[in-house]
Amino acid sequence: MAKKVLITGASGLLGRAVYKEFSSDESWEVLGLAFSRASGNLRKVDITSSEELTKVFDEFKPQIVIHSAAERKPDAVEKQPEATRRLNIDATKNICELAGRTGAWVLYISTDYVFDGKNPPYNEDASPNPLNKYGVSKREGEVTALEVSKENGVLRVPILYGHVHNLGESAVTCLFEKVMDTKNQCVMNDYERRYPTHCADIAVVIRQLSDQKLKDASSIGGIYHWSGDENMTKYDMAVVMATSLGIPTSHIEADKNPSVGAPRPYNAHLGCERVESLGFGRRTPFKDGIEPVLSPFTGK
Ligand SMILES: NC(=O)c1ccc[n+]([C@@H]2O[C@H](COP(=O)([O-])OP(=O)(O)OC[C@H]3O[C@@H](n4cnc5c(N)ncnc54)[C@H](OP(=O)(O)O)[C@@H]3O)[C@@H](O)[C@H]2O)c1
């Protein structure tokens, strides 16, 4: 009998990769949820509605729930604290309670922004101290998931890239608009340190943790981290993008000042010991991962 996984946010940047990873393995039956972008096999469910969520759990009866849906743009969260609370915290509570009733395991996707970035690297047991409202909301989501059941899981990940429908979908790929525009000088942040990570690598870790959870429930639970291991600023990423696609870099200037908007951690590098000690994980080098993601947008 197939193992059953329910994925929230399956129309999103990470959720799409997670949906693809599970769907490529015949031993899994997959139900992906989406909201404004529901199409194809994805089911439209507003996860802030308990009635809609209850119906999904009653009908599908998942064994594993990958909870990826969230408001994840720090500047949007600053402007909409109530809507963020309903999505990032209240919906998480509801999902975990419904999963608890049916014996399903929840893996809550979280972020390196739960840390203040002053003292990296951060291991799984490091103390969170989020600097902005997005980080606070994701930390509250983590606490909620683990309060409903300490057996649940949390997977923290850093800045993500992967196959995008438009360049604005990822905080990495959005840099490419300016990289391509060689006629105009542009400034790229060269202050905050980041570890860009391919969504497909995160999806592999999520599937590995889920398989292991169903093999040996007591071996999996609590907080995990997964991250690429290349320390880069946005300026560094822009230069790698340009070089790997044969674009000149002389129009790209480095900006040594902290970024503007909601405060961001300087370097929230995630130590990934718990996943590594299981022998799980995959790290695609940034230059190899980013080239096929961007090449459809070069107009060549
Ligand atoms: N992207 C990053 O760089 C990054 C970094 C660290 C952590 N994370 C975490 O990774 C997870 C996934 O992020 P992402 O980048 O994939 O986000 P995303 O691309 O913005 O996708 C968000 C997802 O949430 C869904 N959603 C929003 N409101 C909903 C609602 N009311 N009901 C049901 N679904 C709803 C969206 O569905 P529709 O689009 O169909 O409306 C979409 O599938 C999040 O938990 C985020 O905090 C992301």
Side-chain angles (χ1 to χ4, degrees), residues 41-60:
N41 290 332
L42 302 184
R43 179 152 157 193
K44 181 165 187 168
V45 172
D46 179 358
I47 64 161
T48 64
S49 154
S50 349
E51 296 81 58
E52 290 187 34
L53 269 181
T54 306
K55 202 160 172 274
V56 170
F57 274 83
D58 286 348
E59 284 173 16
F60 186 64

Side-chain angles (χ1 to χ4, degrees), residues 8-16 33-39 42-49 52 67-73 87-88 91 108-113 134 138 155-161 169-172 197 199:
T8 72
S11 53
L13 178 68
L14 176 62
R16 290 198 301 270
L33 306 186
F35 187 46
S36 61
R37 291 180 284 173
S39 67
L42 302 184
R43 179 152 157 193
K44 181 165 187 168
V45 172
D46 179 358
I47 64 161
T48 64
S49 154
E52 290 187 34
H67 179 26
S68 184
E71 176 50 71
R72 56 107 179 144
K73 295 192 181 81
L87 184 58
N88 289 8
Y108 173 78
I109 307 301
S110 191
T111 168
D112 58 346
Y113 274 33
Y134 165 64
K138 293 298 291 186
L155 178 65
R156 295 181 182 137
V157 300
I159 188 169
L160 301 178
Y161 71 97
E169 250 196 303
S170 140
V172 175
T197 301
C199 288

